[in-house]
């Protein structure tokens, strides 16, 4: 059963390569999926949110979610599962980016983006939360467009990111509630 599903995932990646990749999208996708570009985007968002007292909690929750996601995916789960990257196993799959050297499962990019976006979605008005989630979806989709992740890597990375984002919101809520209680005078 697992072998059949892995075959399906490989066929899907080859289908994307043959039917979705094109000369217009490829340079854009290759740019936005770069780790430095994605991390810089979220750093700017988090710093901008931190600049205003009204959005500071969302900034801290989003930053905390990013750290939690990185620890969970990149340091723990990738080392635990050690799944080979698709380009090492799927004959004919070409990679459009620098070859990653870490494990494939789960997608750290997807987790990181969904973690940040989930915190923003929960804590801020939807006019901020929805674009954050749309950006996270776009980044997640780029990961199999460029040939570096299986769909299950991306899906599980997104799910882990959502959980990290929600956990960070809960932790920040507790910290902010404790701070507010400590400041009251009776």
């Amino acid at each position: 059963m697992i072998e059949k599903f892995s075959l399906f995932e490989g066929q899907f990646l080859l289908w994307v390569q043959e039917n979705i990749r094109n000369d217009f999208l490829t340079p854009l996708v290759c740019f936005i999926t770069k780790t430095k570009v994605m991390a810089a985007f979220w750093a700017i968002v988090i710093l901008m949110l931190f600049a205003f007292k009204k959005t500071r909690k969302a900034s801290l929750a989003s930053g905390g979610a990013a750290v939690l996601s990185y620890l969970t995916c990149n340091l723990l789960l990738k080392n635990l599962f050690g799944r080979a990257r698709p380009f090492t196993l799927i004959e004919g799959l070409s990679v459009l980016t620098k070859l990653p050297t870490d494990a494939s499962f789960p997608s750290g990019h997807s987790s990181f983006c969904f973690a940040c976006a989930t915190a923003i979605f929960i804590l801020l008005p939807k006019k901020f939360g929805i674009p954050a989630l749309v950006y996270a979806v776009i980044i997640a989709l780029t990961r199999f467009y460029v040939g570096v992740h299986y769909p299950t890597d991306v899906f599980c990375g997104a799910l882990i990111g959502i959980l990290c984002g929600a956990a960070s919101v809960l932790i920040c809520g507790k910290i902010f509630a404790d701070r507010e209680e400590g400041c009251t005078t009776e």
Side-chain angles (χ1 to χ4, degrees):
M1 177 72 169
I2 292 174
E3 288 176 12
K4 285 184 181 180
F5 192 73
S6 292
L7 179 63
F8 167 76
E9 286 193 293
Q11 290 172 339
F12 174 76
L13 292 174
L14 290 171
W15 180 85
V16 168
Q17 177 175 288
E18 297 302 317
N19 296 289
I20 306 294
R21 287 183 184 175
N22 63 65
D23 293 339
F24 174 76
L25 277 180
T26 296
L28 177 64
V29 169
C30 288
F31 175 75
I32 64 172
T33 201
K34 288 181 180 179
T35 302
K36 290 177 184 175
V37 172
M38 184 263 312
F41 171 83
W42 285 114
I44 291 167
V45 168
I46 290 167
L47 289 172
M48 287 174 53
L49 292 173
F50 192 78
F52 303 98
K53 190 173 184 176
K54 258 178 122 169
T55 57
R56 198 159 290 152
K57 182 177 178 182
S59 170
L60 295 172
S62 188
V67 170
L68 189 57
S69 164
Y70 178 78
L71 294 173
T72 303
C73 282
N74 295 66
L75 298 183
L76 178 66
L77 295 176
K78 282 182 182 275
N79 291 314
L80 183 65
F81 288 99
R83 185 179 195 186
R85 294 281 181 165
F87 57 82
T88 65
L89 301 174
I90 301 170
E91 190 173 321
L93 182 63
S94 62
V95 179
L96 300 178
T97 64
K98 181 180 159 191
L99 297 179
T101 57
D102 61 346
S104 189
F105 181 86
S107 167
H109 278 66
S110 300
S111 179
F112 191 93
C113 288
F114 272 94
C116 294
T118 298
I120 290 169
F121 184 80
I122 292 170
L123 293 173
L124 294 179
K126 300 309 173 235
K127 67 181 179 182
F128 300 110
I130 291 173
L133 286 175
V134 167
Y135 178 74
V137 169
I138 290 169
I139 292 297
L141 294 175
T142 68
R143 302 314 288 163
F144 50 79
Y145 183 95
V146 298
V148 296
H149 280 293
Y150 294 99
T152 50
D153 299 340
V154 171
F155 176 77
C156 291
L159 183 60
I160 292 163
I162 290 167
L163 294 172
C164 289
S168 185
V169 166
L170 290 173
I171 292 165
C172 281
K174 178 72 174 138
I175 292 169
F176 273 75
D178 288 348
R179 287 185 73 207
E180 289 170 6
E181 285 176 17
C183 292
T184 60
T185 57
E186 295 184 33

